[in-house]
Amino acid sequence: MNFIKGILKTAVAAKLIQVAQRELSKPENQQKIKDNLRKLQEAARSRR
């Protein structure tokens, strides 16, 4: 039974990685990531 659970967990993790890679390859999502990173950097600078 543990073997089956392990296989299922691996399959779910692989699918999540696949979906994440697909979403990260979209230009609009890449721009959102860049914007959010810039905001975080600005916030970190303002705290100093």
Side-chain angles (χ1 to χ4, degrees), residues 3-42:
F3 180 71
I4 294 172
K5 285 182 182 180
I7 291 174
L8 287 174
K9 287 180 183 179
T10 302
V12 169
K15 186 63 177 177
L16 285 173
I17 291 169
Q18 187 180 42
V19 169
Q21 286 176 335
R22 186 180 331 123
E23 289 301 314
L24 289 174
S25 68
K26 294 180 180 178
E28 60 272 13
N29 290 338
Q30 290 177 357
Q31 187 61 46
K32 286 180 187 177
I33 291 169
K34 288 178 186 175
D35 291 343
N36 287 331
L37 283 175
R38 185 176 34 77
K39 287 179 186 176
L40 283 172
Q41 289 172 342
E42 289 173 359

